Amino acid sequence: MMIRVRSRDGLERVTLDNSTRPLTIAQLKSTIESQLRVPVPNQTLSTNQNLLLAKTPHDAAGFTDMSNPQTLISALGIAHGSIVYLSYEGERTVAGPKQFNPAGSFGRKMTMDDLIAKQMRVTRQENPHCELVSFDRDAANAFQNYVNESLVFAVKRGGIMYGTVSPEGKVEVDFIYEPPQQGTEENLILLRDPDEEKLVDAIAMGLGMRKVGFIFTQTIGQNKKDYTMSNVEVLQAAELQAEGDLKEWVTAIVKLEVNEEGGADVHFEAFQMSDMCIRLFKEGWFEREIGEDVDPKLSRMKKAVVVGGKDTKEVDNDFFLVVVKIFDHQGPLSSIFPIENRITPVPMNALKNHLDRTRSLPFVKRISDFHLLLLLARFLDVNADVPALAQCVQTQMAVPEGYQLLIESMASAS
């Protein structure tokens, strides 16, 4: 008996011996394993062709008509020449042309790249790993006020978000570090300073926080374009999420949107780059050089991937975005100290002015501002003093007298 098997690799055939006894599904699966090199545990069979549309193993498991290994295939109407449909996990070990027809279903010889592309199916990821993201109101306002009032959304601005992640996947953003950068209407170049980032990470460690995401603005000019994120922004966001190595990593966009009265409101959106996006980025599928002729709402691949059942080298950026819910909260830090790496440098007397302005507060409250701590960190030991001082802020314990005298003398000298 010959039975045709259609899978993601095309249409193939297996031959079974039915001369002595009726055949069961278990025997058919065993034959597929020996002739097509798909292990029995990895197989899902069905007489329903919709099995091939299943996006995940969980979806495939919903096809149960051939799940009982003892069922006779004749009871399902399967006879000589019938077609069954096969979905399987993992990769196949192809033994040779006797077991595998390399022409697939398109009458052309498939290369190894073709086979890999068949596995690179780009679909929408419905659920983020991040349950929600909540922004500290002061930190969010300090960022959006600057881009709104000083930059008037004419050039792009970005920052690295720091905070905490709960066991349930809730991300809280408590401060935003703005690295050295150069922004234009279309592009944002982060001129990252490894020494400064070491100080930032040391402060975060003392505060019990870590990097949790990337935030950037879109300009007024970009608002006229028909995309959520441009291909350049997708690449930058994917690179930072891959580097962050946090499954709950969040990418936030800040932009102006026209309201019902014709005015403009500052609007926050939050996403995760999909698992497939990060995989494609890490494995080098993205074209990194983006010409002016490329539609910004499409990301170009070096090799074809499968989108909607078709091979293509251009993927709509929206396929890579997973929406994250946004909330806000009042975190443990203030954001009133002048912020680093902006057009106007932090003035020399900023520390003295800040301490004078907050004189009525306990000393630990007066220094509970990330941007102030970053200024102090430039004059302290990054391995000992910086985490220790930040830990005082985290616990709101009294600052040791030695640190307090040092900070006050720095303020007086400015």
Side-chain angles (χ1 to χ4, degrees), residues 37 54 82 95 186 220 222 228 321 328 337 346 362 365 367 382 411:
R37 298 294 189 267
S82 294
E186 298 282 346
I220 296 170
Q222 285 183 282
T228 309
L321 305 180
D328 64 2
F337 193 78
V346 177
K365 280 284 185 194
I367 65 166
V382 68

Coordinates of all heavy atoms in Angstrom, one line a residue, residues 37 54 82 95 186 220 222 228 321 328 337 346 362 365 367 382 411:
R37 N 12.3 9.6 8.1 CA 13.2 10.1 9.2 C 12.6 11.2 10.1 O 13.3 12.1 10.5 CB 14.5 10.6 8.6 CG 15.4 9.6 7.8 CD 15.9 8.5 8.8 NE 16.8 7.6 8.1 CZ 16.5 6.5 7.5 NH1 15.2 6.1 7.5 NH2 17.4 5.7 6.9
A54 N -1.2 25.0 11.5 CA -0.9 25.1 12.9 C 0.4 25.9 13.1 O 1.4 25.5 12.6 CB -0.9 23.8 13.6
S82 N -4.2 7.3 -0.6 CA -4.7 8.4 0.2 C -3.6 9.4 0.7 O -2.4 9.0 0.7 CB -5.4 7.9 1.4 OG -6.5 7.1 1.1
A95 N 18.0 10.9 4.8 CA 18.9 9.8 4.5 C 19.3 9.8 3.1 O 20.4 9.4 2.7 CB 18.2 8.5 4.8
E186 N 15.3 61.4 11.5 CA 15.0 59.9 11.2 C 15.8 59.0 12.0 O 15.4 57.8 12.1 CB 15.3 59.7 9.7 CG 14.4 60.5 8.7 CD 13.0 60.0 8.5 OE1 12.8 58.8 8.9 OE2 12.2 60.7 8.0
I220 N 8.1 64.7 14.7 CA 6.9 65.1 14.1 C 6.9 64.7 12.6 O 5.9 64.3 12.1 CB 6.8 66.7 14.1 CG1 6.6 67.1 15.6 CG2 5.6 67.2 13.3 CD1 6.8 68.6 15.8
Q222 N 8.2 62.0 11.4 CA 7.9 60.6 11.3 C 6.4 60.3 11.5 O 5.9 59.3 11.0 CB 8.7 59.8 12.4 CG 10.2 59.6 12.2 CD 10.8 58.8 13.3 OE1 11.1 59.3 14.3 NE2 11.0 57.6 13.0
T228 N 4.4 51.9 12.5 CA 4.5 52.0 14.0 C 5.9 52.2 14.4 O 6.2 53.0 15.2 CB 3.9 50.7 14.7 OG1 2.6 50.4 14.1 CG2 3.8 50.9 16.2
L321 N 6.3 43.2 16.4 CA 5.9 44.0 17.6 C 4.8 43.2 18.4 O 3.8 42.8 17.8 CB 5.4 45.3 17.2 CG 6.3 46.2 16.3 CD1 5.7 47.5 16.0 CD2 7.7 46.4 17.0
D328 N 1.3 53.5 35.3 CA 2.2 54.4 35.9 C 2.2 54.2 37.4 O 1.3 53.6 38.0 CB 2.0 55.9 35.5 CG 0.7 56.4 36.0 OD1 0.0 55.7 36.7 OD2 0.4 57.6 35.7
F337 N 16.9 66.6 39.6 CA 18.3 67.0 39.3 C 18.6 67.1 37.8 O 18.0 66.3 37.1 CB 19.3 66.0 40.0 CG 20.7 66.5 40.1 CD1 21.0 67.4 41.1 CD2 21.6 66.0 39.2 CE1 22.3 67.8 41.2 CE2 23.0 66.5 39.3 CZ 23.3 67.4 40.3
V346 N 25.3 69.7 32.7 CA 24.9 69.9 34.1 C 25.9 70.9 34.7 O 27.1 70.8 34.6 CB 25.1 68.5 34.9 CG1 24.8 68.7 36.3 CG2 24.2 67.5 34.3
P362 N 15.3 64.9 55.0 CA 16.4 64.1 55.5 C 17.5 63.9 54.4 O 17.1 63.9 53.2 CB 15.7 62.7 55.8 CG 14.3 63.0 56.0 CD 14.0 64.2 55.1
K365 N 16.9 61.5 51.6 CA 15.9 61.9 50.6 C 16.5 62.9 49.6 O 16.1 62.9 48.4 CB 14.7 62.6 51.4 CG 13.7 61.6 52.0 CD 12.8 61.0 50.9 CE 11.7 60.1 51.5 NZ 11.1 59.3 50.5
I367 N 19.3 63.0 48.4 CA 20.2 62.4 47.3 C 19.4 61.2 46.6 O 20.1 60.5 45.8 CB 21.5 61.9 47.9 CG1 21.3 60.7 48.9 CG2 22.3 63.0 48.5 CD1 22.6 60.0 49.2
V382 N 33.8 52.9 42.1 CA 32.7 52.3 41.5 C 32.3 50.9 42.1 O 31.2 50.5 42.1 CB 32.9 52.2 40.0 CG1 34.0 51.1 39.7 CG2 31.6 51.7 39.2
A411 N 29.8 69.8 47.1 CA 28.8 70.9 46.8 C 29.4 72.3 47.0 O 29.3 73.2 46.2 CB 27.6 70.7 47.6

